[in-house]
Amino acid sequence: MSVATAHVDIVAPAVPGAAPGTVVGAAEVLDRSNRRLGRVPLRAEISTPVEIPHEEQCLVHGWSPYLSVQPIVVTGGRTQQALLSARPANGKGSGGEESRRAANGWIRLWGREPDGQWTVRDPSDMATGGATAVSTPMGSPAILQIGGGRRRPVCTLVPEGSLFTLQPTEHRPQGPVEVRPVADSGFTLLESLRLGEWGWATVVERVWWDEPGVRGTPLFDLAVAYLACRRGNLERAGQWRQVAGNRHEDGPAWIDVLAVDAWLARRRGEWRDLASALARLADAGGTPLVAEGLDLLTAELARPPLEPRAPHPGEALRSVLTPYLRASLPSSLTSFTAAHPGVPQPRPPKRARPSESLPFRVERDTSATRIQWRVLSGPPVDSGAYAPVADRTLLPREPGLIISELGELSEWLIVEDEDPMVLWRLSRTLLDEGVATGVSIVPGRNAVAVALPGLQVRPAAALLADLLGQGRVRRLGLSVGGLRQELSVPDAAEAERILAVLLREGHRSSP
């Protein structure tokens, strides 16, 4: 018996500076039993259709390295577009105040000359693009070096002709400042690999194989290659080498192409090709653009040689890469601490702002993330290397779930928690076990609204206490009308007592 379905367009959240079609993340649709109905890429300014059962309430949630995605509920046949947005920042707690602190320091642009030497570029080369972020010049590999304050200088390899912004380490304004692309499909895939998000990685990778027009950018091409290597998929890695490897042999990513060549030769048992690739890598005297390449070479070199009696072909390369490994930092792009790009150091000296550099200040605000370049001794300028980047735009939520449409607040139990997936599972359990007759996701808040008419207090209290007992949450915020209470003890009797008080007194304090 066929089930009637309805068409829903999933729209990606707004990512400042993302060109149309850029893959900024991935999303999946879950039905009321938490069965996955589909996974789709999130592409800037492009909606992706899915089919869901008619009249079925489903959760759409997603992942993006650029922002935290707010889950929403859609209903088959009633919802035409699932407009995803950024989750509101949570400024509560001791960490919230600290995360508002700004980070400042200096930034320098280094370029690699044909002879292999690194030289500092004139600061005017760090022009701003359409997203008013730092841009790198065309024609050669580049490094953005960040220092200043009490932090040690960090070098990050970046591809040519790309826009980058800065992301301070959360709660540590004097800690490392991460260099990341404004919006790049390849960075999205690399971050999913780095964070172990294999499901999302598969969705993003599929775009590259299905649409040849998206190929050609270094990060996206390399991310697909390294994903194949990580999976041990020799056939797919070889196919990538034939399709995309040649276009990067003479560019900034050529060391990464050699790393893939070495991996293929090792897995195929091609001893001479492996020795040749490792020798060329050693002669290059550098490291791959992508941190996955550095990890890949390290893993391959640690394995025994293919011929036990033959000299290990990777010894020369090992001596080149060891300083980078000792100074490396967790990042999708190869990053390491160093006062000079050619001399990686685990603990380079902290120094005052060097010549041929630009000062920066990154403003942090929990309500709207903004990055602003400005001269520290004066006001922001309108053009040049200092300008505001962008504010994150929160798209409207699904109109049918606005809190104002829930009627009198005294008729609803509001349950709040920081993890929206916990709330979704709770809402599904309440409905599936018949404990509640109506549950709605509250947009703009990490909360669900449970209809009080028909609510079975004792089973509901047991479910809330069970969440705490399983360690899924540390505390739950409960409110009815204007009365609020916190549940932090995994005790069903205590949860029932709190609920009884809220139900009895909540309507009296309703605004």
Side-chain angles (χ1 to χ4, degrees), residues 17 29 47 108-109 121 173 217 285 332 376 398 408 412 451 460 481:
V29 182
S47 62
R108 284 202 293 183
L109 175 66
R121 297 291 186 90
T217 59
S332 288
L376 298 183
E398 186 178 2
E408 293 293 332
W412 297 85

Side-chain angles (χ1 to χ4, degrees), residues 168 203 264 466 486:
V203 176
L264 285 168
D466 187 53
E486 187 178 89

Side-chain angles (χ1 to χ4, degrees), residues 108-122 125 137 139-144 340-341:
R108 284 202 293 183
L109 175 66
W110 295 76
R112 192 169 190 180
E113 304 301 329
D115 61 1
Q117 298 298 313
W118 290 99
T119 58
V120 180
R121 297 291 186 90
D122 187 277
D125 282 345
S140 67
I143 276 181
L144 289 177
H340 186 279

Side-chain angles (χ1 to χ4, degrees), residues 144-157:
L144 289 177
Q145 184 182 37
I146 306 293
R150 296 191 298 273
R151 70 177 63 84
R152 301 181 187 279
V154 173
C155 294
T156 302
L157 272 73

